[in-house]
């Protein structure tokens, strides 16, 4: 449910804040007052296309903010799946890591005169596509706007399945169909050129044998390269170590010999002057540390041996690793781990394909069994749809006849996907292509809903469908624009009654020029246009009591002050309340 709406510098609106109630709310006002701007602002908020022309003249930014209260249907937590259309609003938020409090969600969107736009759900920035997708769980706009879910042919199957009560069975069918698609894909691989398959097996067998024979170890290429580097630099290393050893041990001025003399003198000084004991300790420490270091370098020097055979072995092994990387890794600079992983993947392929004939026969049996299962379920689903389709057509025709569209016929077109006696074609939702059609006048051929020319006719068709689907639809807020185009009299009364009935379980907004529709509303909002200092502004406010009576009178006779019209308006409102 839409709880409040804050519009700032959008089109003719300077700044308006509105709070909304449950039930049926109408927007009314003189022609050109800006009623459609409210719908435009909502359409903008929920992800509609926009441009800088929607920014109020002289301003740099337009923004729309709204608070929605999630209804019970949109808070039901089911098992999360990959099917977006099966989610609730709460689950969509959960999947996108957006939290909400007190069952409320804040939507905000702006556009600046630079063309930059931004959108948020609560305090999380989102893309226009995400905003539109999430808002589709909360609000549906019908009329001359793009948020007309029932005009999307892809939605028709969904609504028919909801009315038929087979949504769960269709979801179960989808699992079997997905498994069939996967197994058919594998079978197609088996059915590819046998010579190609055998050639690939031969190539991978060689690769696996070559990699296995190499007995590779992760990281060995790096350690071997380090050892090779040491052997190739043997002469330089030995020369430098020998020089260090001489610095330490040379009997004529070597470090160790010199430190011995220093230590001896330091010790004698410490005996004569106790204040130098710490200095003596430091000399001792340096002597022992450098003596140990001298021993380590001497030991290292003694272990240095140049082994040409070891160098040859290393270089041969590194050459092998280089060739393996060149064959089986992305580059020669890759790690040996990539070669090992290639061998593992190749072995997995061989395990699955070596016994090709047996595996293929088994897979063929599995595919055949799944095809029978899928077709059996698709046939059952199709029969349920056909049974429901005729009932749905009759229900819609009945409602349309009371909405001034007597003679209009609603059709549910169900065509089977193309196939033949050998293979029945099925899709992820069954074997049916489903589309809603309308014949607006007797004798006219049925046409897709999108080809209905009149916005008023379209809105009434939507009203009829929404009345029927209300028990299955979780969308909490519906907006009908131009629903009264071309109607009046008793038809308008019927439209008002229908909307009021639908609003018992939904929040309904409607733009109307007809008093006979407006009187059925639980709430009425008036839009007025004013001019001040050559600046035009649309003002929006809730009307009640005598102000509402005056607005109904204006809608009846064009004069809000006419006594007869006021009495007529008051009588109409009182009759509805009673």
């Amino acid at each position: 449910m839409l709880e409040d709406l804050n519009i700032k510098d959008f089109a003719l609106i300077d700044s308006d804040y509105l709070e909304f109630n449950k039930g049926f709310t109408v927007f009314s006002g003189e022609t050109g007052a800006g009623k459609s701007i409210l719908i435009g602002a909502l359409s903008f908020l929920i992800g509609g296309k926009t441009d800088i022309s929607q920014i109020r003249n002289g301003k740099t930014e337009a923004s729309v903010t709204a608070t929605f209260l999630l209804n019970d249907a949109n808070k039901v937590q089911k098992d999360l799946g990959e099917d977006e259309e099966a989610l609730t609003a709460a689950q969509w938020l959960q999947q996108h890591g957006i939290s909400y409090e007190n069952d409320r969600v804040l939507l905000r969107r702006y556009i600046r005169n630079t063309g930059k736009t931004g959108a948020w759900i609560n305090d999380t920035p989102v893309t226009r596509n995400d905003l539109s997708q999430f808002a589709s769980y909360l609000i549906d706009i019908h009329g001359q706007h793009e948020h007309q879910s029932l005009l999307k042919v892809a939605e028709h199957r969904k609504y028919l399945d909801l009315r038929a009560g087979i949504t769960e069975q269709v979801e179960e069918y989808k699992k079997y169909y997905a498994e069939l698609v996967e197994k058919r894909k594998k079978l197609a691989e088996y059915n590819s050129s046998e010579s190609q398959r055998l050639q690939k097996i031969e190539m991978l067998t060689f690769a696996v044998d070559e990699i296995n024979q190499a007995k590779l170890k992760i990281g060995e290429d790096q350690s071997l390269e380090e050892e090779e580097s040491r052997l190739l630099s043997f002469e330089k290393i030995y020369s430098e170590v020998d020089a260090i050893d001489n610095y330490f041990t040379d009997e004529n001025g070597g470090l160790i010999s010199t430190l011995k003399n220093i230590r001896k003198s330091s010790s004698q000084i410490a005996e004569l002057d106790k204040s130098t004991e710490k200095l003596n300790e430091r000399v001792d420490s340096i002597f022992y540390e450098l003596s140990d270091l001298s021993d380590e370098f001497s030991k290292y020097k003694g272990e240095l041996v140049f082994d040409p055979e070891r160098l040859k072995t290393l270089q041969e092994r590194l050459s092998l690793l280089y060739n393996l990387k060149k064959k089986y890794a992305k580059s020669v600079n890759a790690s040996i781990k990539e070669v090992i992983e290639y061998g593992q993947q190749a072995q997995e392929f061989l395990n699955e394909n070596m016994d090709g004939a047996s595996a293929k026969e088994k897979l063929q049996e599995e595919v055949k069994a799944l095809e029978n299962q899928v077709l059996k379920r698709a046939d059952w689903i199709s029969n349920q749809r056909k049974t429901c389709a005729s009932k749905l057509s009759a229900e819609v025709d009945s409602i349309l006849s009371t909405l001034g569209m007597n003679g209009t016929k609603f059709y549910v077109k169900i065509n089977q996907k193309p196939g033949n006696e050998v293979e029945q074609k099925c899709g992820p939702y069954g074997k049916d292509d489903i589309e809603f059609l309308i014949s607006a006048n007797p004798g006219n051929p049925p046409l897709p809903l999108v080809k209905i020319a009149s916005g008023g006719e379209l809105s009434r068709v939507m009203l009829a469908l929404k009345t029927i689907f209300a028990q299955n639809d979780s969308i909490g807020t519906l907006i009908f624009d131009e629903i009264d185009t071309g109607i009046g009299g008793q038809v308008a009364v019927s439209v008002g009654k229908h909307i009021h009935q639908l609003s018992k379980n939904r929040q309904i907004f409607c733009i109307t020029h007809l008093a006979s529709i407006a009187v059925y509303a639980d709430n009425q909002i008036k839009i007025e246009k004013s001019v001040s200092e050559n600046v035009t502004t649309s003002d929006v406010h809730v009307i009640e009591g005598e102000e509402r009576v005056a607005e109904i009178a204006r809608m009846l006779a064009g004069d809000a002050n006419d006594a007869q019209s006021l009495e007529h308006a008051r009588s109409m409102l009182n009759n509805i309340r009673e």
Side-chain angles (χ1 to χ4, degrees), residues 489-504:
Q490 188 58 41
V491 173
V493 173
S494 297
V495 169
K497 286 181 178 179
H498 268 290
I499 296 177
H500 189 265
Q501 181 67 25
L502 186 59
S503 71
K504 290 182 178 180

Side-chain angles (χ1 to χ4, degrees), residues 59 125 163 215 218 316 320 502 512 544:
K59 301 297 180 178
R163 191 58 178 161
K215 297 180 180 180
I218 294 177
E316 288 175 351
L320 173 63
L502 186 59
T512 184
E544 298 175 321

Side-chain angles (χ1 to χ4, degrees), residues 310-543:
R310 175 59 180 168
L311 178 59
K312 181 181 178 182
T313 301
L314 286 174
Q315 291 176 333
E316 288 175 351
R317 180 67 174 176
L318 286 170
S319 177
L320 173 63
L321 300 184
Y322 175 88
N323 290 330
L324 291 175
K325 288 179 184 180
K326 190 175 180 180
K327 287 182 180 179
Y328 307 121
K330 293 179 181 178
S331 72
V332 293
N333 295 319
S335 70
I336 205 67
K337 182 181 178 182
E338 285 192 24
V339 179
I340 295 173
E341 290 174 347
Y342 180 91
Q344 292 170 343
Q345 293 167 3
Q347 186 62 61
E348 289 175 4
F349 178 88
L350 293 175
N351 293 340
E352 294 176 359
N353 290 272
M354 287 299 286
D355 191 8
S358 175
K360 180 179 177 181
E361 289 175 4
K362 181 182 178 182
L363 191 55
Q364 284 174 328
E365 293 175 0
E366 292 175 353
V367 167
K368 185 176 181 180
L370 274 172
E371 285 176 340
N372 291 334
Q373 184 69 245
V374 165
L375 184 56
K376 180 179 178 181
R377 289 173 179 268
D379 285 337
W380 182 87
I381 289 171
S382 184
N383 289 333
Q384 298 299 310
R385 287 169 174 165
K386 290 173 182 176
T387 300
C388 180
S390 58
K391 294 179 181 178
L392 178 61
S393 296
E395 289 175 324
V396 175
D397 288 347
S398 176
I399 295 175
L400 290 179
S401 66
T402 67
L403 299 179
M405 297 180 71
N406 198 19
T408 298
K409 293 294 183 182
F410 179 84
Y411 298 88
V412 179
K413 180 182 177 183
I414 301 178
N415 288 335
Q416 289 192 357
K417 295 181 183 296
N420 52 53
E421 294 180 358
V422 178
E423 181 182 5
Q424 171 62 54
K425 301 290 185 181
C426 291
Y429 297 102
K431 65 178 187 178
D432 305 312
D433 289 324
I434 299 165
E435 183 176 9
F436 294 163
L437 305 175
I438 283 286
S439 173
N441 299 293
N444 287 358
L447 297 173
L449 295 182
V450 293
K451 294 190 176 180
I452 296 177
S454 164
E457 286 180 326
L458 179 59
S459 291
R460 279 177 280 162
V461 171
M462 296 304 173
L463 177 58
L465 289 169
K466 281 296 181 182
T467 301
I468 295 168
F469 290 131
Q471 59 184 331
N472 303 111
D473 196 345
S474 64
I475 297 175
T477 300
L478 305 178
I479 297 178
F480 292 97
D481 187 9
E482 298 187 9
I483 202 168
D484 56 6
T485 301
I487 66 171
Q490 188 58 41
V491 173
V493 173
S494 297
V495 169
K497 286 181 178 179
H498 268 290
I499 296 177
H500 189 265
Q501 181 67 25
L502 186 59
S503 71
K504 290 182 178 180
N505 298 309
R506 294 288 185 279
Q507 182 187 44
I508 308 293
F509 293 95
C510 176
I511 288 180
T512 184
H513 298 275
L514 299 179
S516 48
I517 291 178
V519 292
Y520 280 96
D522 301 301
N523 319 287
Q524 187 162 350
I525 294 173
K526 185 177 181 180
I527 297 92
E528 294 180 290
K529 186 163 64 175
S530 61
V531 180
S532 176
E533 297 179 356
N534 293 322
V535 177
T536 303
T537 301
S538 286
D539 299 310
V540 186
H541 64 281
V542 177
I543 55 174

Side-chain angles (χ1 to χ4, degrees), residues 90 110 141 151 160 213 260 298-299 322 334 338 445 492 527 565:
Y110 74 81
I141 298 179
L151 290 186
L160 181 61
Q213 288 175 9
K260 283 181 180 180
S298 181
K299 180 181 177 182
Y322 175 88
E338 285 192 24
I527 297 92
S565 297

Side-chain angles (χ1 to χ4, degrees), residues 141-182:
I141 298 179
H142 298 298
Q144 301 304 310
H145 299 276
E146 58 186 293
H147 291 273
Q148 302 172 17
S149 61
L150 288 172
L151 290 186
K152 301 173 184 176
V153 175
E155 294 284 294
H156 298 177
R157 188 275 314 163
K158 172 186 172 183
Y159 281 109
L160 181 61
D161 289 349
L162 279 170
R163 191 58 178 161
I166 59 172
T167 299
E168 290 185 7
Q169 289 86 344
V170 173
E171 289 300 311
E172 186 68 19
Y173 161 87
K174 280 177 61 181
K175 296 176 183 177
Y176 283 91
Y177 179 80
E179 185 180 358
L180 175 59
V181 169
E182 184 61 28

Side-chain angles (χ1 to χ4, degrees), residues 238-279:
Y238 188 89
S239 174
E240 295 297 336
V241 171
D242 185 58
I244 292 173
D245 187 44
N246 287 331
Y247 290 142
F248 276 121
T249 61
D250 188 274
E251 294 181 358
N252 300 314
L255 280 175
I256 300 303
S257 176
T258 301
L259 279 171
K260 283 181 180 180
N261 293 329
I262 293 173
R263 183 168 175 255
K264 181 179 178 181
S265 298
S266 174
S267 176
Q268 291 175 353
I269 294 170
E271 289 179 1
L272 297 172
D273 184 356
K274 298 297 183 182
S275 65
T276 63
E277 284 183 348
K278 288 188 176 181
L279 290 175

